[in-house]
Amino acid sequence: VLGLLTYKQITVVTGQRILLKVEPIDPLDPFRGEYVDLGYSFSRLQPGEVQGPSLQRGDILYVALAPQGRFYEKVGVSREVPREATVFLRGTVTQVSAKQIQVTYGIESWFVQKGKGLELEREGRDRDKQLVVEVAVDKRGQAVLRQVHVEPRRTPASPPVAAEAPRAPAKRPRP
């Protein structure tokens, strides 16, 4: 267990930080507490997106990501580690049907303080807001959640929200 924690911490510290859009669901685990279940557009793949023999539960897939504005989006899916992609996620196939392939990446759950899960879910489902995660990704495609937050939803035409510039301290008269 200690080795796994150390490995995850190394990814948090040294991994490339990226932003992803998420789709929240709010479950409750009686043994571990309240958490927000996070879904991603690249967690549900179309069968035609993956070349080769039929996929089975437990198969490993790699999803190549590239920046599309502020967020990283899927640009490819493969059974092998992508050679050209600088950022990719290693996922495990959890469900296969004729219409969809479900893949998990280890970044699907975010534990929150009791009573905060429903609030976070509600805000994430607000059409004027969006739920955003910051993820650290290492060179092997392993990902670790760093932060989950809600921010105003931006339309493609709307400019980013500008941060207020720091103000210079007021000058004091010399004695």
Side-chain angles (χ1 to χ4, degrees), residues 107-121:
I107 53 173
E108 288 78 20
S109 297
W110 180 257
F111 287 88
V112 295
Q113 292 177 346
K114 187 172 181 166
K116 297 291 184 187
L118 282 173
E119 178 184 333
L120 192 57
E121 175 194 343

Side-chain angles (χ1 to χ4, degrees), residues 95-138:
Q95 194 173 41
V96 179
S97 73
K99 295 182 179 182
Q100 180 172 277
I101 300 162
Q102 188 74 30
V103 183
T104 59
Y105 304 92
I107 53 173
E108 288 78 20
S109 297
W110 180 257
F111 287 88
V112 295
Q113 292 177 346
K114 187 172 181 166
K116 297 291 184 187
L118 282 173
E119 178 184 333
L120 192 57
E121 175 194 343
R122 232 177 276 121
E123 287 188 50
R125 292 189 188 282
D126 184 324
R127 41 185 239 149
D128 295 328
K129 298 178 182 176
Q130 64 186 10
L131 197 58
V132 175
V133 297
E134 180 182 315
V135 176
V137 184
D138 71 13

Side-chain angles (χ1 to χ4, degrees), residues 135-146:
V135 176
V137 184
D138 71 13
K139 294 176 185 176
R140 294 180 298 276
Q142 301 294 326
V144 178
L145 283 169
R146 291 184 48 87

Side-chain angles (χ1 to χ4, degrees), residues 31-90:
F31 300 105
R32 298 189 292 176
E34 194 169 328
Y35 64 99
V36 177
D37 195 10
L38 306 167
Y40 305 89
S41 60
F42 49 81
S43 294
R44 294 173 309 279
L45 305 175
Q46 301 302 312
E49 289 184 79
V50 184
Q51 303 301 315
S54 297
L55 288 167
Q56 303 294 319
R57 183 180 175 149
D59 285 352
I60 302 300
L61 289 179
Y62 296 89
V63 174
L65 302 172
Q68 305 288 323
R70 294 180 52 235
F71 299 101
Y72 277 70
E73 301 283 344
K74 175 185 70 171
V75 293
V77 180
S78 67
R79 295 172 185 261
E80 304 294 326
V81 174
R83 295 190 203 306
E84 296 84 33
T86 57
V87 178
F88 61 89
L89 298 177
R90 181 181 191 270

